[in-house]
Amino acid sequence: STCGGTGHEAIGEVVEVVDPCRFRIGQRVVAMSSAYVQAVGSIRAAFETETGEKADVLPKQGAFAQYFVSHDCVCIALPTDDSISSGFDPLWFVAAQPLGTLIHACKKLGSVMGKTVGIIGQGQNGLIATQLIERLGAKRIIALDILEDRLECSRRFKATHTIISSTDPSKIGEIKKKVLDVTAGEMCDIVIDAVGHQGNTIDLCASLTKHAGTVLLFGLPPAKDEKGFTIRSPDFRRNIKYVCSHSPDMETFELAVDFLKQGRFDPGLLFTHTQPFKRFPEAYDMVNNYKNGVIKIILTFD
């Protein structure tokens, strides 16, 4: 296939350029697909400022494709194999995109040094948040997920406490009691939503946050045809602060690449499987149904 309809986390090899271009043929890059450029405000702005053209001139392509169109202002050069640390798989640089989004989110929180942070959802993004928050000096990192094997990963990512969560809103009180016990009644200074469902996580986030605490909404809100987020009256009256995070700029993605190059973030535990793109349906089924201990799959076009 040469025309992907979706996909936005990609590294690739430059196979054709239109001069002037700062990349050479054969160079490896983190590449934002044209569909991503069109959809994400900060990346669209970078393209339009650099080129003087509307992003809509690009063909709408996602990164799930053997070839796709991008622009050098929304790509980041990757190091050559001989400059990469031993034990680091060059394919792991694909983590720069999700890592960049979490760096962008964490910037919005200010200092977390000495604070108690809860992270609801321990998929790829929740686990990245767990590792980042640990390295930023949080006192307690409470990871919550409905899957025990994800919480095993959370512990390897340096979560200090793990709690089995639930998709049942009636279980909020039970989960809150566990957090009360962990925090000696203080609750969390910050709770990060890495899931994105009303009732199942937004209300739970607020319930686990202390008075005037912060809820970081990282999980995407419902689609247009679904009921939107609401803020409950008790949470409003407790002065809970809700912080949204979306659309990092290219400088943040460059910082993510630097973190990976310098060994300041370890993505190895995220990537549990590597499969050829022709096995995409199998890979999707594995991720969608949480099979074989999957967290994240790298798809290749070898």
Side-chain angles (χ1 to χ4, degrees):
S1 170
T2 60
C3 191
T6 187
H8 62 273
E9 300 173 12
I11 59 174
E13 180 179 314
V14 177
V15 296
E16 187 174 338
V17 300
V18 175
D19 288 325
C21 180
R22 62 194 177 97
F23 299 114
R24 66 184 184 278
I25 291 176
Q27 190 170 5
R28 288 185 309 188
V29 296
V30 172
M32 304 301 170
S33 71
S34 54
Y36 189 76
V37 173
Q38 292 165 347
V40 178
S42 58
I43 308 303
R44 171 185 278 266
F47 172 84
E48 293 181 349
T49 299
E50 175 74 17
T51 66
E53 300 281 353
K54 294 294 185 182
D56 295 328
V57 303
L58 295 169
K60 189 172 183 179
Q61 291 178 289
F64 288 161
Q66 189 171 4
Y67 302 96
F68 65 85
V69 174
S70 190
H71 190 277
D72 68 358
C73 71
V74 291
C75 294
I76 304 166
L78 293 178
T80 57
D81 287 350
D82 58 5
S83 65
I84 297 173
S85 300
S86 175
F88 187 98
D89 187 333
L91 294 177
W92 291 351
F93 279 111
V94 75
Q97 197 283 336
L99 176 57
T101 63
L102 265 302
I103 291 172
H104 176 68
C106 287
K107 285 180 179 180
K108 294 172 175 279
L109 295 175
S111 174
V112 301
M113 187 74 67
K115 294 184 178 180
T116 296
V117 181
I119 304 170
I120 299 179
Q122 291 291 289
Q124 165 196 279
N125 294 324
L127 288 169
I128 292 174
T130 297
Q131 188 173 155
L132 281 178
I133 292 296
E134 185 271 331
R135 297 193 175 190
L136 291 170
K139 179 181 179 180
R140 300 186 191 94
I141 305 163
I142 305 171
L144 300 96
D145 199 277
I146 61 174
L147 301 175
E148 177 58 41
D149 62 341
R150 294 290 175 90
L151 296 180
E152 287 291 333
C153 294
S154 308
R155 290 185 274 272
R156 295 201 294 272
F157 273 66
K158 304 298 179 64
T160 59
H161 301 81
T162 57
I163 295 173
I164 285 285
S165 189
S166 174
T167 59
D168 182 353
S170 70
K171 300 291 186 181
I172 287 178
E174 180 182 325
I175 297 167
K176 181 178 178 179
K177 183 179 184 305
K178 293 178 181 178
V179 174
L180 278 166
D181 291 343
V182 166
T183 62
E186 294 181 0
M187 302 305 286
C188 298
D189 299 286
I190 300 165
V191 178
I192 299 172
D193 161 39
V195 181
H197 295 293
Q198 180 69 41
N200 293 347
T201 53
I202 302 303
D203 297 342
L204 177 58
C205 285
S207 297
L208 304 184
T209 306
K210 64 175 56 173
H211 180 86
T214 298
V215 173
L216 174 63
L217 301 175
F218 183 84
L220 289 176
K224 292 179 181 179
D225 58 345
E226 297 177 354
K227 184 179 178 181
F229 288 157
T230 60
I231 297 174
R232 300 177 304 179
S233 177
D235 302 326
F236 180 86
R237 295 176 186 278
R238 290 194 301 122
N239 285 290
I240 300 300
K241 180 170 71 173
Y242 293 86
V243 178
C244 300
S245 184
H246 195 262
S247 301
D249 55 26
M250 287 306 299
E251 288 76 12
T252 303
F253 290 121
E254 289 168 1
L255 179 59
V257 171
D258 285 342
F259 274 26
L260 295 168
K261 286 194 297 188
Q262 297 161 8
R264 295 163 63 193
F265 181 87
D266 179 9
L269 291 174
L270 290 175
F271 298 112
T272 52
H273 300 76
T274 300
Q275 294 196 166
F277 188 79
K278 64 184 179 182
R279 293 173 62 188
F280 179 88
E282 177 186 331
Y284 182 84
D285 177 66
M286 194 186 307
V287 171
N288 195 48
N289 293 296
Y290 309 111
K291 294 180 179 178
N292 304 326
V294 68
I295 297 174
K296 190 168 181 65
I297 299 174
I298 294 178
L299 297 173
T300 67
F301 285 92
D302 295 341

